[in-house]
Structure formats: C-alpha cells, structure tokens
C-alpha cells in the first residue's frame, strides 16, 4: 500500500494534530504524516510533532503583513518540497486565499466545531447555547474558498445539556473531533470519499440507524 503524504497546518497546541498522528501510526492507515507546519513560531504542537519524529516547519505570517498570497506561496513551496499529497488544517488560524485553496482542490480538509452548515465561523459553542439547540457537534469537510462551506465528509454529534457552558460543551465536542478527523483522513486518503456535484459521497458503510434524540424520553 502506497501511503499518501500528509501535511498538517497548525497555529496552536494541535490536539487534533495529535489525534491524526496517533491514528497514522497504525500499519493499515492509508496516510503518513510527514510534515507539521505552523504560521506561529513556538506553537505548542510543533514540539509535540517533533517528539513524534515528524519534521516541522515554521513560516510566520506576520512578516508578510497583508500580502496573504505571498505568505501562502512560501507555504506552498514548503509543501511541494515535501511532496505533499493531502493537507489537513488543525486549528490553523488563517483565512486562505482562493489561490491557495485552488492548489489543493479536493486535497485539503478541515475540522470545524459545529454541525455545518449551522454555525460557520467563530464562537460556535456560545452561539449554539444561545440558540438553545439540543444537539451540537463537529464536522470534517473539504476546503473551498468559502469559509466552512465545503463538502462534508464526516460529522459527529453530542447532546447539549441544560447546564452546559461553552467550555463543557466544547470539551465533549473536542472528544468527537478526535474521533472523526482520523476517520475522515482515512476515507480521503484511501479514495473512499470523493466529491460529486459539490457533495461528498462515501463508499464506506454508513453508521447504524440508531437515532440520537435529545432530550431523551
């Protein structure tokens, strides 16, 4: 099996990065993490990646000012140098230009802490609680120029409790993120997930027909 070469882009501690690295250690996983790159020097995830034996790179965005494409071209050079096949965004706090997204069309995925298409953007848990939703969750999707709007690969849900805060709800959602992101990467790397007519279709078995209802009765 030829494994797809993956780069993970981070800006912080990289908890989803760690979940991907752990999953990729399995002999049958169809991808290998060969590069972790950050736009912030000293991002916590860089040290974790190095401890796992993965090469790291830092291309700080600040020196490029408002020239976002120049920053992305520097990133692109690094990705090409490492012969990257797939890119995973894991807490990468930069809006990407259409130029960069186009370079990785169908080959770049992101995880978002909400059940898209609801709650695109920031502060998802606070907004979900303010709206009184009963089910919340996380989504892994292909990246397109529109933010948090690409074809959905995998979603996972949790129930929302009446006494939840953004922190307690976010902690449960994060546990789901750590489960579904490796699964999404496995599907994309193995060719089990692909885009047809703007929608992601999968050849993997669907989940059991168990229904999540909240509140329960």
């Amino acid at each position: 099996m030829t494994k797809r070469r993956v780069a993970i882009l981070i800006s912080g501690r990289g908890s989803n990065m760690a979940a991907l690295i752990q999953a990729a250690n399995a002999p049958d996983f169809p991808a290998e993490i060969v590069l972790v790159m950050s736009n912030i020097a000293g991002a916590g995830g860089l040290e974790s990646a190095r401890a796992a034996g993965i090469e790291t790179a830092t291309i700080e965005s600040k020196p490029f000012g408002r020239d976002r494409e120049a920053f992305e071209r520097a990133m692109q050079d690094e990705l090409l140098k490492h012969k990257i096949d797939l890119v995973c965004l894991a807490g990468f706090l930069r809006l990407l230009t259409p130029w960069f997204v186009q370079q990785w069309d169908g080959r770049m995925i992101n995880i978002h802490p909400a059940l898209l298409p609801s709650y695109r953007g920031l502060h998802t848990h606070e907004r979900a609680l303010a709206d009184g939703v009963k089910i919340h969750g996380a989504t892994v999707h292909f990246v397109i120029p529109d933010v948090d709007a690409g074809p959905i690969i995998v979603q996972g849900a949790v129930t929302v409790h009446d006494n939840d805060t953004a922190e307690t709800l976010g902690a449960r959602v994060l546990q789901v993120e750590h489960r579904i992101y490796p699964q999404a990467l496995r599907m994309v790397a193995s060719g089990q997930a692909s885009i047809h007519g703007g929608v992601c279709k999968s050849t993997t078995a669907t989940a059991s027909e168990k229904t999540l209802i909240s509140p329960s009765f």
Side-chain angles (χ1 to χ4, degrees), residues 6 8 17 21 33-36 46 48-56:
V6 175
I8 304 175
M17 173 207 75
I21 290 173
I33 314 301
V34 299
L35 177 68
V36 171
L46 293 172
S48 301
R50 285 192 289 266
I54 296 169
E55 188 171 342
T56 64

Side-chain angles (χ1 to χ4, degrees), residues 17-18 20 51 59 63 107 111 113 130 136-137 162-163 168 175 212:
M17 173 207 75
L20 291 172
I59 299 177
R107 297 189 297 141
I111 190 155
H136 189 46
D162 287 344
N163 62 348
T168 59
Q175 291 179 335
L212 175 61

Side-chain angles (χ1 to χ4, degrees), residues 44-67:
L46 293 172
E47 185 175 345
S48 301
R50 285 192 289 266
I54 296 169
E55 188 171 342
T56 64
T58 300
I59 299 177
E60 292 192 80
S61 48
K62 212 169 189 178
F64 292 92
R66 295 185 179 181
D67 194 343

Side-chain angles (χ1 to χ4, degrees), residues 78-99:
E78 192 72 23
L79 294 170
L80 293 177
K81 186 173 78 174
H82 286 83
K83 297 181 172 61
I84 299 301
D85 298 310
L86 300 170
V87 174
C88 293
L89 306 181
F92 187 65
L93 304 179
R94 293 282 300 182
L95 288 177
L96 299 170
T97 67
W99 175 83

Side-chain angles (χ1 to χ4, degrees):
M1 176 178 63
T2 301
K3 297 194 175 194
R4 309 296 298 278
R5 294 173 62 82
V6 175
I8 304 175
L9 307 189
I10 64 170
S11 295
R13 73 185 190 278
S15 71
N16 273 303
M17 173 207 75
L20 291 172
I21 290 173
Q22 182 177 5
N25 285 331
D28 66 340
F29 200 81
E32 59 176 333
I33 314 301
V34 299
L35 177 68
V36 171
M37 184 160 54
S38 176
N39 65 312
I40 297 176
L46 293 172
E47 185 175 345
S48 301
R50 285 192 289 266
I54 296 169
E55 188 171 342
T56 64
T58 300
I59 299 177
E60 292 192 80
S61 48
K62 212 169 189 178
F64 292 92
R66 295 185 179 181
D67 194 343
R68 291 160 58 199
E69 190 172 312
F71 161 68
E72 292 171 352
R73 286 185 182 276
M75 285 203 306
Q76 180 74 353
D77 289 344
E78 192 72 23
L79 294 170
L80 293 177
K81 186 173 78 174
H82 286 83
K83 297 181 172 61
I84 299 301
D85 298 310
L86 300 170
V87 174
C88 293
L89 306 181
F92 187 65
L93 304 179
R94 293 282 300 182
L95 288 177
L96 299 170
T97 67
W99 175 83
F100 186 79
V101 172
Q102 183 59 39
Q103 308 309 306
W104 297 95
D105 183 37
R107 297 189 297 141
M108 180 161 57
I109 63 178
N110 179 52
I111 190 155
H112 182 72
L115 292 173
L116 294 173
S118 296
Y119 306 117
R120 293 165 59 181
L122 303 174
H123 309 299
T124 58
H125 309 315
E126 291 88 345
R127 290 156 59 200
L129 289 173
D131 285 344
V133 302
K134 303 305 180 187
I135 296 172
H136 189 46
T139 304
V140 185
H141 63 94
F142 286 102
V143 178
I144 65 172
D146 290 341
V147 177
D148 300 331
I152 293 169
I153 306 166
V154 180
Q155 291 184 301
V158 300
T159 58
V160 180
H161 303 158
D162 287 344
N163 62 348
D164 262 329
T165 64
E167 289 71 28
T168 59
L169 179 57
R172 290 202 306 284
V173 171
L174 189 62
Q175 291 179 335
V176 170
E177 292 180 40
H178 294 167
R179 291 175 59 191
I180 67 173
Y181 209 173
Q183 174 61 17
L185 177 57
R186 176 186 287 275
M187 291 166 60
V188 173
S190 64
Q192 293 177 310
S194 55
I195 302 170
H196 300 274
V199 176
C200 178
K201 302 291 187 180
S202 171
T203 60
T204 60
T206 56
S208 64
E209 294 301 320
K210 182 178 179 180
T211 302
L212 175 61
I213 298 176
S214 178
S216 60
F217 56 87

